[in-house]
Amino acid sequence: FWSRVSKTNDCWIWTGCVNVHGYGRMCFDGKQRLAHRIAWFLTHGKHPSLSILHVCDNPLCVNPAHLWEGT
């Protein structure tokens, strides 16, 4: 996963496949998942129960510091 991320001082940009809405995606745990949700899982050790939102409003960002769980 992290090998497909280009880290900057701010956003960490997903460089792999992208869906029609501009969000990163990849197969993880046998399912197609959004890259920012995978980053959340890898950081927190659990799948999110709510939406994972971006503080930076960048759909390709997977920087855990920019992600929060909410509605």
Side-chain angles (χ1 to χ4, degrees):
F1 176 85
W2 296 115
S3 68
R4 293 184 174 103
V5 176
S6 176
K7 294 181 180 178
T8 70
N9 290 334
D10 192 29
C11 290
W12 297 3
I13 305 301
W14 176 253
T15 62
C17 294
V18 178
N19 71 11
V20 298
H21 302 289
Y23 289 90
R25 66 172 178 82
M26 74 175 286
C27 188
F28 185 79
D29 267 351
K31 294 182 178 181
Q32 282 291 321
R33 299 185 188 270
L34 297 173
H36 62 286
R37 293 180 67 86
I38 297 170
W40 178 271
F41 173 81
L42 293 173
T43 302
H44 297 281
K46 63 178 183 160
H47 290 288
S49 56
L50 301 173
S51 295
I52 297 299
L53 307 168
H54 298 84
V55 173
C56 57
D57 284 332
N58 182 348
L60 289 178
C61 182
V62 295
N63 183 344
H66 290 194
L67 304 175
W68 61 284
E69 191 173 18
T71 57

